Amino acid sequence: MKKYDYLIVGAGLFGCVFAREAAKAGKRVLVIDKRPHIAGNIYTEETEGINVHKYGAHIFHTSDREVWDYVNGFAEFNNYINCPVARYKNELYNMPFNMNTFSRMWNITTPAEAKAIIERQRAEASVKEPKNLEEQALSLVGRDIYEKLVKGYTEKQWGRRATELPAFIIKRLPVRFIYDNNYFNDRYQGIPIGGYTAMCAHMLEGIEVRTGTDYFGDKAGLDALADKVLFTGMIDEYFGYRLGELEYRSLRFETEVLDTDNFQGNAVVNYTEYEVPYTRIIEHKHFEFGTQPKTVVTREYPAVWHKGDEPYYPVNDEKNNALYAAYKSLADEEKNVLFGGRLGMYKYFDMDDTVSAAFALLEKEGIRKPRRA
């Protein structure tokens, strides 16, 4: 008999949820991660008394009451509301696009005025069948919003000009004709008090965890420990890239401690000019309403992904989705190996999606009862 029922490769949110529920069901579980810490990309680390989001800002939001209740079982969440600000040159605009945005942009006050300007600019663009992202955006929101708040930011994110990007990347651009700066429409949102690392640590209480452990450094030896493997890393890496490399976008972070109690007055400020190399500055203390005498800020730079870099976003275009489908066929034939998470399923997940996907796999394994309708 093998020592463990499940070897879970990756101590991110997906792995933590699966490990917790499997252990609760009496399964013997070992969790490993190549990083020196748990919590994956939602890892937070305390600096100057501030919980710093080391791999980019993460705000938990969901309309799924079951998921919300679940994560609240491992942490107390505060009432943070995500209200990012966009900076274009020296102009500041509220996000998402709402009446505060339009009032600042056009010096107008009513929804009727805003609608009339957007409709006029859409008509001027005269785009019937968008052939690229630029044409798609112009057909949705007109030239002013596109050029100031969409164009540069999107080009930085994808590393390509908007005229070279496919139209399907932007299916819609939410426009609100009310004075509401709440970025998310979800019923529930917040930040775990004390940070995400503490939340994940509670999920993994009583479970054996080995950090700093590279699965591929001793794959055969680790596989031999368990009846089944849950792999949450890159699916193409698991198969040795035998069908080719899937594409990802990466990120680079520059973090510094500043000798001021308040640098920018908001947790997230997006920089929408193409000429500014970073996409946003995160001031971490504002996620938890901090009053510390110093502050910690992070500049986030989009980056081209190369093999060996940290992958953050799958590039879900037609070519890559077809390649993933081929890898998925290989995965389906793999005995006693499960694939999960953003990298294992080659799909962008918000955190609530990650929890839901873990629930679905647990149900498939017969570990967790089917969810409430």
Side-chain angles (χ1 to χ4, degrees):
M1 190 173 79
K2 296 194 177 183
K3 188 175 181 181
Y4 303 99
D5 296 301
Y6 290 95
L7 167 68
I8 298 173
V9 181
L13 184 58
F14 192 103
C16 287
V17 172
F18 192 97
R20 175 76 271 145
E21 294 304 288
K24 190 167 71 174
K27 303 297 183 182
R28 300 160 300 153
V29 176
L30 170 63
V31 179
I32 65 170
D33 201 292
K34 65 181 179 182
R35 287 175 173 169
H37 58 73
I38 64 168
N41 285 351
I42 64 173
Y43 173 69
T44 50
E45 180 178 84
E46 187 176 312
T47 302
E48 297 291 338
I50 299 163
N51 290 305
V52 175
H53 297 218
K54 296 292 286 188
Y55 302 100
H58 287 85
I59 299 101
F60 202 101
H61 59 96
T62 187
S63 291
D64 189 324
R65 179 61 183 269
E66 188 176 357
V67 168
W68 181 245
D69 288 345
Y70 183 80
V71 294
N72 274 266
F74 303 99
E76 180 183 357
F77 280 69
N78 67 16
N79 61 338
Y80 176 81
I81 301 295
N82 190 33
C83 299
V85 171
R87 179 169 176 166
Y88 176 79
K89 298 184 178 179
N90 287 321
E91 302 170 9
L92 295 176
Y93 296 97
N94 291 108
M95 300 288 286
F97 312 139
N98 67 71
M99 283 304 299
N100 288 307
T101 318
F102 309 143
S103 177
R104 173 79 175 86
M105 186 172 290
W106 298 315
N107 194 29
I108 52 97
T109 57
T110 67
E113 291 172 295
K115 289 177 182 178
I117 292 171
I118 291 173
E119 287 305 311
R120 186 182 74 242
Q121 292 189 2
R122 290 178 63 197
E124 289 170 353
S126 189
V127 177
K128 297 293 188 287
E129 295 183 10
K131 297 181 179 63
N132 55 53
L133 186 145
E134 177 167 287
E135 292 183 354
Q136 175 78 326
L138 288 170
S139 72
L140 291 170
V141 293
R143 186 160 299 279
D144 287 349
I145 296 172
Y146 167 67
E147 291 193 342
K148 289 188 174 185
L149 302 179
V150 177
K151 185 177 187 291
Y153 189 93
T154 304
E155 289 178 339
K156 288 188 288 188
Q157 279 282 68
W158 289 94
R160 290 162 62 187
R161 292 298 188 178
T163 52
E164 301 169 356
L165 289 166
F168 70 78
I169 288 177
I170 295 181
K171 293 183 173 64
R172 64 188 184 92
L173 286 169
V175 174
R176 299 178 186 170
F177 296 100
I178 55 175
Y179 290 90
D180 179 9
N181 297 325
N182 182 358
Y183 192 80
F184 299 121
N185 290 316
D186 285 317
R187 172 69 179 82
Y188 311 103
Q189 67 178 295
I191 303 286
I193 297 170
Y196 286 102
T197 303
M199 181 185 81
C200 289
H202 286 144
M203 288 183 176
L204 295 174
E205 282 179 358
I207 295 170
E208 185 178 350
V209 179
R210 301 179 192 174
T211 55
T213 301
D214 183 2
Y215 175 63
F216 294 108
D218 184 22
K219 183 178 182 300
L222 289 165
D223 286 347
L225 295 175
D227 292 324
K228 287 189 175 182
V229 174
L230 166 59
F231 183 77
T232 67
M234 297 159 56
I235 190 170
D236 52 341
E237 183 183 23
Y238 180 88
F239 290 104
Y241 306 101
R242 72 174 74 160
L243 304 178
E245 294 177 19
L246 290 165
E247 290 184 81
Y248 304 86
R249 288 292 288 168
S250 193
L251 295 171
R252 179 172 63 85
F253 304 99
E254 290 182 357
T255 299
E256 60 180 328
V257 177
L258 301 177
D259 194 16
T260 179
D261 66 338
N262 191 357
F263 172 71
Q264 64 186 15
N266 204 50
V268 180
V269 176
N270 293 343
Y271 284 74
T272 62
E273 288 174 80
Y274 184 79
E275 292 71 22
V276 177
Y278 42 84
T279 50
R280 59 184 178 175
I281 296 180
I282 302 161
E283 187 167 9
H284 303 270
K285 70 188 304 179
H286 297 309
F287 289 126
E288 296 187 64
F289 315 108
T291 58
Q292 297 88 350
K294 295 186 179 182
T295 195
V296 182
V297 299
T298 298
R299 288 170 176 81
E300 187 172 304
Y301 297 81
V304 176
W305 178 84
H306 301 285
K307 192 189 296 185
D309 294 340
E310 193 65 42
Y312 284 89
Y313 304 110
V315 180
N316 289 120
D317 58 15
E318 187 174 344
K319 179 187 74 172
N320 282 288
N321 286 343
L323 181 55
Y324 167 69
Y327 274 119
K328 176 68 165 56
S329 294
L330 291 179
D332 290 342
E333 296 171 4
E334 198 78 359
K335 288 186 178 180
N336 301 320
V337 181
L338 312 171
F339 294 83
R342 174 178 47 94
L343 302 179
M345 300 169 77
Y346 198 67
K347 184 177 182 180
Y348 179 79
F349 282 136
D350 284 327
M351 285 182 285
D352 62 330
D353 299 325
T354 300
V355 176
S356 294
F359 284 173
L361 184 57
L362 287 157
E363 291 171 20
K364 190 175 179 181
E365 286 292 288
I367 293 171
R368 196 174 192 275
K369 292 180 181 178
R371 300 188 64 191
R372 299 192 298 264

